[in-house]
Amino acid sequence: MTDSSTAPKSNLAVSAMGDADVSAVVALWERCELTRPWNDPSADIARARGKASSDILVGRDGETIAATVMVGHDGHRGWVYYVAVDPDQHNRGHGRAIMAAAEDWLRERGIEKLQLLVRADNTRVQAFYETLDFEEQERIVYAKWLDGRPMTP
Ligand SMILES: CC(C)(COP(=O)(O)OP(=O)(O)OC[C@H]1O[C@@H](n2cnc3c(N)ncnc32)[C@H](O)[C@@H]1OP(=O)(O)O)[C@@H](O)C(=O)NCCC(=O)NCCS
């Protein structure tokens, strides 16, 4: 049995990402297999970061970016994307720490509920979110590309 008092505590320093962090953030997302052919990660970063209703937070272990989260809200609910921890640094509490920072970011803006999407085949991450007290909700997600292109998986 694991004694939670001896569980590793994250030492990440979390802040909004800076101009110089773009290539390291994209590289981390690629290592975590979070990029998709239809999402240009640099464009995603440019659209989300440093905005009134969205930002990208990075967790640094020393000089190295070990974790990220894209956090934002639509005026009603909060959302996170690109939740990533360096594969060499899993199970050290970094995922919990970067998610706590995203939750704080939303609370500070008066947002009361955080939602997130998980691909059905990403079963490992489901256990992670359940550990963080997220509960699966029965919803059907509809989406369409606004430029008319066919739906992607
Ligand atoms: C999911 C991910 C962010 C977790 O990061 P992490 O730093 O390893 O997680 P933590 O060490 O903070 O774990 C937090 C808790 O979740 C639990 N947990 C983490 N991964 C788990 C897993 N695969 N199965 C069961 N529990 C898990 C830990 O045991 C820990 O519990 P505790 O705090 O009670 O001890 C990381 O695995 C990752 O980057 N995965 C690839 C990218 C990805 O799939 N992102 C999500 C897209 S929706």
Side-chain angles (χ1 to χ4, degrees):
M1 205 168 94
T2 308
D3 175 356
S4 63
S5 66
T6 60
K9 293 279 186 296
S10 172
N11 58 346
L12 288 189
V14 180
S15 63
M17 70 173 284
D19 289 336
D21 297 328
V22 174
S23 57
V25 167
V26 172
L28 178 58
W29 291 353
E30 286 171 348
R31 277 207 303 288
C32 291
E33 300 180 350
L34 291 177
T35 53
R36 296 288 179 273
W38 52 87
N39 288 336
D40 173 352
S42 300
D44 287 353
I45 290 170
R47 216 179 290 113
R49 88 179 178 91
K51 304 293 194 297
S53 59
S54 64
D55 213 338
I56 298 171
L57 309 181
V58 294
R60 288 175 213 277
D61 177 16
E63 298 294 304
T64 309
I65 293 177
T68 68
V69 61
M70 179 187 285
V71 59
H73 69 83
D74 51 26
H76 182 49
R77 301 300 187 212
W79 292 90
V80 289
Y81 300 90
Y82 289 112
V83 175
V85 171
D86 188 315
D88 293 337
Q89 299 208 41
H90 283 181
N91 302 314
R92 297 184 189 176
H94 293 346
R96 183 184 280 279
I98 202 76
M99 284 297 294
E103 292 179 19
D104 286 345
W105 190 99
L106 291 164
R107 280 191 202 96
E108 286 163 14
R109 288 158 180 81
I111 300 297
E112 296 181 318
K113 190 177 185 186
L114 169 55
Q115 304 183 153
L116 54 90
L117 302 170
V118 175
R119 288 181 176 276
D121 60 0
N122 197 347
T123 49
R124 286 180 54 244
V125 81
Q126 293 169 30
F128 165 71
Y129 288 125
E130 283 167 20
T131 302
L132 268 52
D133 296 330
F134 285 82
E135 290 189 22
E136 185 180 341
Q137 302 269 278
E138 293 296 325
R139 302 286 187 274
I140 297 173
V141 176
Y142 284 91
K144 73 174 182 181
W145 290 104
L146 298 181
D147 60 7
R149 81 184 90 157
M151 186 41 69
T152 42

